[in-house]
Amino acid sequence: MSAASRPEGQGRRAGFAAVVTLTFDVDAETPVLARGRRYAAHASTMSHQAYGPEVGLPRILELLDEMSVPATFFVPGWVAEHRPWLAPSIAERGHEVAHHSYSHRPPTSMTAEEERADFERALAVFDRQGIEIRGHRAALWEASWQTGGLVAEYGLRYDSSLMGDDRPYKVRTPAGEIVELPVHWSLDDWEQYAFLPAPHVGSVIESPVKVLELWRAELDGMRHYGGLFNLCLHPFLSGRPGRALALRRFLEYARGCADVSFARCRDVAESARTDAGSAVRDLHPPEASPDVYPD
Amino acid sequence: MSAASRPEGQGRRAGFAAVVTLTFDVDAETPVLARGRRYAAHASTMSHQAYGPEVGLPRILELLDEMSVPATFFVPGWVAEHRPWLAPSIAERGHEVAHHSYSHRPPTSMTAEEERADFERALAVFDRQGIEIRGHRAALWEASWQTGGLVAEYGLRYDSSLMGDDRPYKVRTPAGEIVELPVHWSLDDWEQYAFLPAPHVGSVIESPVKVLELWRAELDGMRHYGGLFNLCLHPFLSGRPGRALALRRFLEYARGCADVSFARCRDVAESARTDAGSAVRDLHPPEASPDVYPD
Amino acid sequence: MSAASRPEGQGRRAGFAAVVTLTFDVDAETPVLARGRRYAAHASTMSHQAYGPEVGLPRILELLDEMSVPATFFVPGWVAEHRPWLAPSIAERGHEVAHHSYSHRPPTSMTAEEERADFERALAVFDRQGIEIRGHRAALWEASWQTGGLVAEYGLRYDSSLMGDDRPYKVRTPAGEIVELPVHWSLDDWEQYAFLPAPHVGSVIESPVKVLELWRAELDGMRHYGGLFNLCLHPFLSGRPGRALALRRFLEYARGCADVSFARCRDVAESARTDAGSAVRDLHPPEASPDVYPD
Amino acid sequence: MSAASRPEGQGRRAGFAAVVTLTFDVDAETPVLARGRRYAAHASTMSHQAYGPEVGLPRILELLDEMSVPATFFVPGWVAEHRPWLAPSIAERGHEVAHHSYSHRPPTSMTAEEERADFERALAVFDRQGIEIRGHRAALWEASWQTGGLVAEYGLRYDSSLMGDDRPYKVRTPAGEIVELPVHWSLDDWEQYAFLPAPHVGSVIESPVKVLELWRAELDGMRHYGGLFNLCLHPFLSGRPGRALALRRFLEYARGCADVSFARCRDVAESARTDAGSAVRDLHPPEASPDVYPD
């Protein structure tokens, strides 16, 4: 759909119940280092980030086993390389491992060449570890207009960084069509739970009670309208005990809804790829001329 | 009323029940581009904004149909021009389309000439599309002292950018009297839901459960005192499923109150224009002398 | 009590029930102008501030009449001068008008001479209006170490800007002893409700439901320990309909508590002045040597 | 455990119920002075901080007596030196006093020599006061990679500044092994309650009702998974009446849980030291090469 054409109705869609893709961005130290290499000297902050792969991740994997729920883990190449046991421990349980950049530096902060090099470097890590990659999520959900083309060019099937819909859609790129599994800030645990003094992140910290309420409200919205509940969690945040318990309660709620199903991102992407009813969008920046927007 | 005269009582006003003007600021990409043209390169952010007209808006229009509620849509000229189907799709359902600047750059950031040019440019777009415009809302709710005069000079009847009351009031301008339909930050979904990493916007994201609670409390206040419940929503925020469901619940609540009615802004403005009981205010900046406020 | 001496117990104090001093800081445009004279050009922001004296204040006065509750209004001299009807409309209902600086520029941002001149200028305004002043509250609750001395020197009885206790206490100044009626950020509506885009103020806006819950919890704490519930409200914030209704509910709750009484600040100060059991504190800055705190 | 080895499961641990270490960071003026010596001139802010030792602390000590709960107080040396009655008043009730730097300047902001000098200076204060010190917590929870080594070198048994787990763990340092009692931002009252205009701290202020809900949810999480509920409170924040009452209710809840026990940090550290099942971690910064993280 181009901007010039009129969109279809977005009301209740019969037969399109909510699908939950439970996703975990296993960022470890990378989002902090991407804010400044100097933060490597902050021992407390680094331990806060290391908690993710070392404590939160195994706890989450056990919870998923217990609940028999499939999930997708977006892993920066740097994290997979420095903790070589990590990606296999996910894959061997039947979950999906997906591409989440190498360094977690956002594409919007890099040149096209830098983004490509970072993209390739992560793929090489996963290739050496025998991990098959089908999808990608941009660091900080900050894709460039080139990102989708890289996803297609390197043979991946889907991206999960854009927010142009709340259902899977197709994106045309110079290297072919891919599927987009859209994300949204309201389904990200970062805005609810993250706090760090340096680099400065967050303000008040929300209670798991509020976050559970939020997720239920959003899932009920997806059930009403039919959409993709693409939840993004970070093991260093949601892997903590009170939050893991809230996640368990959310999973219990979702499993009790007859119109909700769970899937890995790659499986949802595969369905969307062959669904003639999915919207198709082009990737191009809006026109922003200097006479209208001088700064 | 000038600052020197004593205001009338503001207690319960018999016979003045709450009126709900449901308004949508269909900003799309403009508020982000107004923060910096460079953000056009941020594909995720642009998709987040495009969601508004392309997914949120059609969903909202269907909801309004279902609920039989009239609404007013404030549309920047840039948005109407780049998506020529947009304004007609609103007007043909009986809703009002109103002027929301051309570029969404706030008047307080422009020279008087720039503000006038931006104001005219939007009117020209709507004129070409055959959309009749009666009212205006300043970008970012950041009117200058000139804004009201432009509204009058170009033949519009009302403005909806000031916060000097919670009932419609009249404003004297050099080009004649207009009606002001006051807004307030507490009735704006932006502070509740908006989040972006770049440009940096927001902090925690509130649950639709809290927002519904807030709206009900504010509506009950307006019912008690008699006032204009001038709710401002953004399709890229409140058009999302869980939030659309909260809006539906709010509309169900409001419709169930015998002392609440719904109207388009132009209809409220017309009533206020002919109501001799409406307050009248002048537009002039407060005296702020450099000896008191040196910076 | 000096820092070197050991404080008395702070547990439940028999016979000292909670006293509520309902206070309103009638700031109007001043806190915004104190952030920058240029904001006088922001018509929407100025209308947001003018709402305080012109709409919020009369509504609050009616509510206090209805509820038969006395209150204290801290008014900047600039506000009293530009709206000469304002202070008399408060005083004639039996409420207290108190000194809240002339310009609302915080003492910590001024030289000693500037602070004194600002302090005097406000007193002159109230004197011309025949308003008797007994107490003072520093702009932004940002007293300097000189502020208490000014209060004593000009013959006022109390200050209400410090946070060294949650009961009234006495402060020794070079010009004599005054009473301090301590404030606290948790009993200020600013952090709950205030939002402005420019100057940038606030983040999410809280619901009156939450604020009512907060006030009840804090009052219950004061009832348990015996203390001064010194609530600070701003007419441009808490004078809005939904919030005025929450304030009414709070007053109903407080009036229903047998161990809660209401008083004007001057009356509480008078009691504390003659209460031999009140703590006494000196005013002096902590030692902060450059070898410990170089920046 | 090094990053290269695979972590053990983190699911429910039989027989490891939740242990509550109630800790108070008695910071007084130090965190503000560490942000800038000039803030010593801010009388209101200084009184806000002085409230901690002078009003909040005695109230908390009485509450702990009433509830028969042991606690640990982390005191900056500067605070103990300027209020010589403070540390003894804690120790004589059977609570633990622990090292919380001298100046509250974070180690990450100092050179290695400065950190060592600050560390030693606090020990000298406690030594002169006859207070036996067993543990340490870094100012602002901002340990450097050197901090753990200092703790070991000066003969202390534990640190409580890192976030690498939610159970006690051992840390190898060049000067020997110590125990880490991990903290986390979600169990810190600062993010919930703190607000200051200058230096700018905080945003909305949460209700004690929400904070009590948060603590209960987190404690339930620790009970489910078995972990250390290492709660960090500040007397200038949680010593206020409404919040002290919420703390009392939390303590009543926790005491009513058969699987929850209370202990001082030194006692938990002693148990962990001799527990062969505790994880062991090394202290070293992650590799952050300039080719990956140029800034």
Side-chain angles (χ1 to χ4, degrees):
Chain A
M1 181 175 69
S2 84
S5 71
R6 189 167 177 160
E8 295 297 309
Q10 301 285 343
R12 286 184 90 125
R13 190 179 279 188
F16 194 104
V19 174
V20 174
T21 42
L22 202 58
T23 74
F24 297 90
D25 288 4
V26 191
D27 295 341
E29 295 86 356
T30 61
V32 173
L33 296 176
R35 292 276 293 270
R37 199 172 67 244
R38 65 188 175 286
Y39 294 117
H42 290 230
S44 298
T45 299
M46 289 299 110
S47 70
H48 178 264
Q49 300 303 119
Y51 179 99
E54 294 173 17
V55 179
L57 178 63
R59 178 174 291 146
I60 286 163
L61 289 171
E62 291 186 25
L63 174 61
L64 298 176
D65 275 2
E66 265 185 275
M67 306 291 289
S68 302
V69 168
T72 305
F73 294 78
F74 292 89
V75 183
W78 188 94
V79 174
E81 194 171 46
H82 285 76
R83 292 178 172 91
W85 52 265
L86 189 148
S89 78
I90 295 165
E92 72 194 19
R93 301 211 193 196
H95 302 298
E96 177 178 359
V97 174
H99 184 314
H100 191 36
S101 83
Y102 178 77
S103 64
H104 210 278
R105 290 172 61 207
T108 49
S109 73
M110 294 192 276
T111 65
E113 293 70 31
E114 287 172 335
E115 183 185 2
R116 176 180 291 272
D118 185 275
F119 193 95
E120 279 187 358
R121 192 167 175 180
L123 284 178
V125 171
F126 292 118
D127 191 54
R128 282 196 300 275
Q129 299 188 349
I131 303 288
E132 188 205 25
I133 299 294
R134 292 268 183 89
H136 169 266
R137 176 173 286 167
L140 224 79
W141 303 0
E142 275 276 33
S144 74
W145 294 104
Q146 169 188 252
T147 306
L150 289 173
V151 169
E153 181 182 338
Y154 286 87
L156 277 55
R157 304 295 177 83
Y158 73 91
D159 176 73
S160 182
S161 319
L162 302 181
M163 310 189 198
D165 207 331
D166 33 53
R167 292 165 186 155
Y169 57 100
K170 295 169 192 163
V171 172
R172 283 190 210 100
T173 86
E177 199 172 274
I178 59 171
V179 170
E180 179 63 36
L181 303 180
V183 288
H184 190 257
W185 303 113
S186 58
L187 294 178
D188 178 17
D189 62 355
W190 183 275
E191 289 71 33
Q192 307 299 324
Y193 289 145
F195 180 86
L196 281 178
H200 186 66
V201 168
S203 54
V204 297
I205 296 176
E206 295 290 35
S207 162
V209 176
K210 180 250 175 154
V211 176
L212 177 58
E213 174 193 280
L214 169 66
W215 291 345
R216 290 177 61 148
E218 297 293 347
L219 180 64
D220 288 348
M222 290 295 181
R223 294 168 62 204
H224 182 82
Y225 285 108
L228 180 68
F229 188 89
N230 193 9
L231 187 65
C232 176
L233 306 177
H234 296 77
F236 70 88
L237 296 171
S238 285
R240 295 194 57 82
R243 297 162 180 177
L245 207 51
L247 174 57
R248 165 188 286 270
R249 285 181 186 144
F250 172 72
L251 295 176
E252 286 165 355
Y253 175 72
R255 285 201 318 187
C257 298
D259 54 356
V260 171
S261 62
F262 288 85
R264 297 179 304 177
C265 287
R266 60 173 60 189
D267 301 321
V268 175
E270 190 58 26
S271 300
R273 196 175 64 83
T274 58
D275 174 6
S278 301
V280 184
R281 287 183 172 83
D282 290 312
L283 283 180
H284 53 76
E287 174 198 337
S289 74
D291 77 298
V292 182
Y293 298 108
D295 295 323
Chain B
M1 181 176 67
S2 82
S5 72
R6 189 165 177 162
E8 295 296 309
Q10 300 286 342
R12 287 184 89 128
R13 190 180 278 188
F16 194 106
V19 174
V20 174
T21 42
L22 203 57
T23 74
F24 297 91
D25 287 5
V26 191
D27 295 340
E29 296 85 357
T30 61
V32 174
L33 296 177
R35 292 276 292 269
R37 199 172 68 244
R38 66 190 176 284
Y39 295 118
H42 289 230
S44 299
T45 299
M46 290 297 111
S47 70
H48 179 263
Q49 300 303 119
Y51 179 100
E54 295 173 17
V55 180
L57 178 63
R59 178 173 292 146
I60 286 163
L61 289 170
E62 292 187 23
L63 174 60
L64 298 175
D65 275 2
E66 263 184 276
M67 306 292 289
S68 301
V69 168
T72 305
F73 293 77
F74 292 89
V75 182
W78 188 94
V79 174
E81 193 171 49
H82 285 75
R83 292 180 171 90
W85 51 266
L86 190 147
S89 78
I90 294 165
E92 73 193 19
R93 300 210 193 198
H95 302 297
E96 176 179 0
V97 174
H99 186 314
H100 192 34
S101 83
Y102 178 78
S103 64
H104 210 277
R105 290 171 61 206
T108 48
S109 72
M110 294 192 276
T111 64
E113 293 69 32
E114 287 173 334
E115 183 185 2
R116 177 180 290 272
D118 185 275
F119 193 95
E120 280 187 356
R121 192 168 177 178
L123 284 179
V125 172
F126 292 119
D127 191 53
R128 283 197 299 274
Q129 298 188 352
I131 304 287
E132 186 206 27
I133 298 295
R134 292 268 184 89
H136 169 266
R137 176 174 286 168
L140 224 79
W141 302 0
E142 275 275 31
S144 74
W145 295 104
Q146 168 187 252
T147 305
L150 289 173
V151 169
E153 181 183 338
Y154 287 87
L156 277 55
R157 303 296 177 84
Y158 72 90
D159 176 74
S160 182
S161 319
L162 302 181
M163 310 188 197
D165 207 330
D166 34 54
R167 292 165 185 156
Y169 58 99
K170 295 171 192 161
V171 172
R172 286 192 208 99
T173 86
E177 199 171 273
I178 58 170
V179 169
E180 179 63 37
L181 303 180
V183 289
H184 190 256
W185 302 113
S186 59
L187 294 178
D188 178 18
D189 63 355
W190 183 275
E191 289 70 32
Q192 307 299 324
Y193 290 145
F195 181 86
L196 282 178
H200 185 65
V201 169
S203 54
V204 297
I205 296 176
E206 295 291 33
S207 162
V209 176
K210 180 249 174 153
V211 176
L212 177 57
E213 175 193 278
L214 169 65
W215 292 344
R216 290 177 62 148
E218 298 292 348
L219 180 64
D220 287 349
M222 289 296 181
R223 295 168 63 206
H224 183 83
Y225 285 107
L228 180 69
F229 187 88
N230 193 8
L231 188 65
C232 175
L233 306 177
H234 296 78
F236 69 88
L237 296 172
S238 286
R240 297 194 56 84
R243 296 163 181 177
L245 208 51
L247 174 58
R248 164 187 286 271
R249 285 182 186 143
F250 172 73
L251 295 176
E252 286 166 354
Y253 175 72
R255 286 201 318 188
C257 298
D259 54 357
V260 172
S261 61
F262 288 85
R264 296 179 306 176
C265 286
R266 59 173 61 189
D267 301 321
V268 175
E270 190 58 24
S271 301
R273 198 175 63 82
T274 58
D275 175 6
S278 300
V280 184
R281 287 183 172 83
D282 291 311
L283 282 180
H284 53 78
E287 173 197 337
S289 73
D291 76 297
V292 181
Y293 298 108
D295 295 323
Chain C
M1 181 174 72
S2 82
S5 73
R6 190 167 177 161
E8 295 296 308
Q10 300 286 341
R12 287 184 91 127
R13 190 180 280 187
F16 194 105
V19 174
V20 174
T21 42
L22 204 56
T23 74
F24 297 90
D25 287 4
V26 190
D27 295 340
E29 296 85 357
T30 60
V32 173
L33 297 177
R35 291 276 293 268
R37 197 172 69 245
R38 67 190 175 284
Y39 294 118
H42 290 231
S44 299
T45 298
M46 289 299 110
S47 70
H48 179 264
Q49 300 303 118
Y51 178 100
E54 294 172 18
V55 180
L57 178 64
R59 178 173 291 144
I60 286 163
L61 289 171
E62 292 187 25
L63 174 60
L64 298 176
D65 275 1
E66 264 186 275
M67 306 292 289
S68 301
V69 167
T72 305
F73 293 77
F74 291 89
V75 182
W78 188 95
V79 175
E81 193 171 49
H82 285 75
R83 293 179 171 91
W85 51 265
L86 191 146
S89 78
I90 294 165
E92 72 194 19
R93 300 210 192 198
H95 301 298
E96 176 179 1
V97 174
H99 184 315
H100 192 36
S101 83
Y102 178 78
S103 64
H104 210 278
R105 291 171 61 208
T108 49
S109 73
M110 295 192 276
T111 64
E113 292 69 32
E114 289 172 334
E115 183 186 2
R116 176 181 291 270
D118 186 274
F119 194 94
E120 279 186 359
R121 193 168 176 179
L123 284 179
V125 172
F126 292 118
D127 191 53
R128 284 195 299 276
Q129 299 189 348
I131 303 287
E132 187 207 27
I133 298 295
R134 293 271 182 87
H136 168 268
R137 176 174 286 168
L140 224 80
W141 303 0
E142 276 276 31
S144 73
W145 294 104
Q146 169 186 253
T147 306
L150 289 173
V151 170
E153 180 182 338
Y154 286 87
L156 277 56
R157 303 298 177 82
Y158 72 90
D159 176 73
S160 182
S161 319
L162 302 181
M163 311 188 196
D165 206 331
D166 33 53
R167 293 165 186 157
Y169 58 98
K170 296 170 191 161
V171 172
R172 284 190 209 100
T173 85
E177 198 172 274
I178 58 171
V179 169
E180 178 63 38
L181 302 180
V183 289
H184 190 255
W185 304 112
S186 59
L187 294 178
D188 178 18
D189 63 355
W190 184 275
E191 290 69 34
Q192 307 299 324
Y193 289 145
F195 181 86
L196 283 176
H200 185 65
V201 169
S203 54
V204 297
I205 295 177
E206 295 290 34
S207 163
V209 177
K210 180 251 173 152
V211 177
L212 178 57
E213 174 193 282
L214 169 67
W215 291 344
R216 289 177 62 148
E218 297 292 348
L219 181 64
D220 288 348
M222 289 295 182
R223 295 167 64 204
H224 183 82
Y225 285 107
L228 180 68
F229 187 88
N230 192 7
L231 188 65
C232 176
L233 306 178
H234 296 78
F236 70 88
L237 296 171
S238 286
R240 296 195 57 83
R243 297 162 181 177
L245 208 50
L247 174 58
R248 166 188 284 271
R249 286 183 186 142
F250 172 73
L251 295 176
E252 286 165 354
Y253 175 72
R255 285 201 318 187
C257 298
D259 53 357
V260 172
S261 61
F262 288 85
R264 297 178 305 175
C265 286
R266 60 173 61 188
D267 301 321
V268 175
E270 190 58 25
S271 299
R273 196 175 63 82
T274 57
D275 175 5
S278 301
V280 185
R281 287 183 171 82
D282 291 311
L283 284 181
H284 53 75
E287 174 197 337
S289 72
D291 75 298
V292 181
Y293 297 109
D295 295 323
Chain D
M1 181 175 69
S2 83
S5 72
R6 190 167 177 161
E8 295 297 309
Q10 301 284 341
R12 285 183 90 126
R13 190 180 278 187
F16 193 105
V19 174
V20 174
T21 42
L22 203 57
T23 74
F24 297 90
D25 288 4
V26 191
D27 294 341
E29 297 84 357
T30 60
V32 174
L33 297 177
R35 290 276 293 270
R37 199 172 66 245
R38 65 189 175 286
Y39 294 118
H42 289 231
S44 299
T45 299
M46 288 299 110
S47 70
H48 178 265
Q49 300 304 118
Y51 178 99
E54 294 173 18
V55 179
L57 178 63
R59 179 174 291 145
I60 286 163
L61 288 171
E62 291 186 24
L63 174 60
L64 297 176
D65 275 2
E66 266 185 274
M67 306 292 288
S68 301
V69 167
T72 305
F73 293 78
F74 292 89
V75 182
W78 188 95
V79 175
E81 194 171 48
H82 285 75
R83 292 177 172 92
W85 51 265
L86 191 147
S89 78
I90 295 165
E92 72 194 19
R93 300 210 193 198
H95 301 298
E96 177 179 359
V97 174
H99 184 315
H100 192 36
S101 83
Y102 177 77
S103 63
H104 210 277
R105 291 172 61 207
T108 49
S109 73
M110 294 192 274
T111 64
E113 292 70 31
E114 288 172 334
E115 183 185 1
R116 176 181 292 271
D118 185 273
F119 193 95
E120 280 187 357
R121 192 167 175 180
L123 285 179
V125 171
F126 293 118
D127 191 53
R128 281 195 300 274
Q129 299 188 349
I131 303 288
E132 187 205 26
I133 299 294
R134 292 270 182 88
H136 169 267
R137 177 173 284 169
L140 225 80
W141 302 1
E142 276 276 32
S144 73
W145 294 105
Q146 169 188 253
T147 306
L150 288 173
V151 170
E153 181 183 337
Y154 286 86
L156 277 56
R157 303 297 176 83
Y158 72 90
D159 177 74
S160 182
S161 319
L162 303 180
M163 310 188 196
D165 207 330
D166 32 54
R167 292 166 186 156
Y169 58 100
K170 294 170 192 163
V171 173
R172 282 190 210 100
T173 85
E177 200 171 273
I178 58 170
V179 168
E180 179 63 38
L181 303 180
V183 289
H184 190 255
W185 303 111
S186 58
L187 294 178
D188 178 18
D189 63 356
W190 184 274
E191 290 70 34
Q192 307 299 324
Y193 289 144
F195 180 87
L196 282 178
H200 185 66
V201 169
S203 54
V204 297
I205 296 176
E206 296 289 33
S207 163
V209 177
K210 180 250 175 153
V211 176
L212 177 58
E213 174 193 281
L214 169 66
W215 291 344
R216 288 176 63 147
E218 297 292 348
L219 180 64
D220 288 349
M222 289 296 181
R223 294 167 64 205
H224 183 82
Y225 284 108
L228 180 69
F229 188 88
N230 192 8
L231 187 65
C232 176
L233 306 177
H234 296 77
F236 69 88
L237 296 171
S238 286
R240 294 194 57 83
R243 297 163 179 175
L245 207 51
L247 174 58
R248 165 188 286 271
R249 285 181 186 143
F250 172 73
L251 295 177
E252 285 166 354
Y253 175 71
R255 285 201 318 188
C257 298
D259 53 356
V260 172
S261 61
F262 288 85
R264 297 179 304 176
C265 286
R266 60 173 61 189
D267 301 321
V268 175
E270 190 59 25
S271 298
R273 197 174 64 81
T274 57
D275 174 6
S278 301
V280 184
R281 287 182 171 84
D282 291 312
L283 284 180
H284 53 76
E287 174 196 338
S289 73
D291 76 299
V292 182
Y293 298 108
D295 295 323

